[in-house]
């Protein structure tokens, strides 16, 4: 459920950035705001990727620990 919410946040951020260019045109301020909004999906993607990797490493470590105790 969290991943869906993060994805929707990223889609909304991109839509707002594109709409900003459409309604207000190109200026330095709209460019800066658009860059901030476009960075949101990238940050979300990187955070989710690192979280998945961390969870996999923790699970792997737990499995190895249980295997060592049982042998």
């Amino acid at each position: 459920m969290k991943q869906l919410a993060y994805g929707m946040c990223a889609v909304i951020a991109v839509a707002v950035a594109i709409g900003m260019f459409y309604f207000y045109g190109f200026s330095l301020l709209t460019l800066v705001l658009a860059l901030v909004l476009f960075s949101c999906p990238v940050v979300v993607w990187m955070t989710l990727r690192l979280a998945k990797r961390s969870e996999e490493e923790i699970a792997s470590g737990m499995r190895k620990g249980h295997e060592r105790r049982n042998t």
Side-chain angles (χ1 to χ4, degrees):
M1 189 67 181
K2 284 183 184 179
Q3 290 181 351
L4 178 63
Y6 295 147
M8 291 302 296
C9 174
V11 169
I12 290 169
V14 170
V16 168
I18 292 171
M20 209 169 43
F21 282 124
Y22 180 76
F23 288 113
Y24 299 110
F26 288 92
S27 71
L28 184 60
L29 181 60
T30 56
L31 181 62
V32 169
L33 289 174
L35 287 175
V36 169
L37 288 171
F38 282 136
S39 69
C40 175
V42 173
V43 170
V44 168
W45 175 75
M46 288 176 60
T47 303
L48 289 175
R49 187 174 60 109
L50 290 173
K52 280 185 179 181
R53 188 185 320 166
S54 297
E55 289 175 358
E56 290 170 358
E57 289 176 359
I58 291 170
S60 173
M62 295 295 290
R63 280 193 301 272
K64 287 179 183 177
H66 288 300
E67 289 173 359
R68 288 181 186 153
R69 282 191 214 137
N70 292 335
T71 57

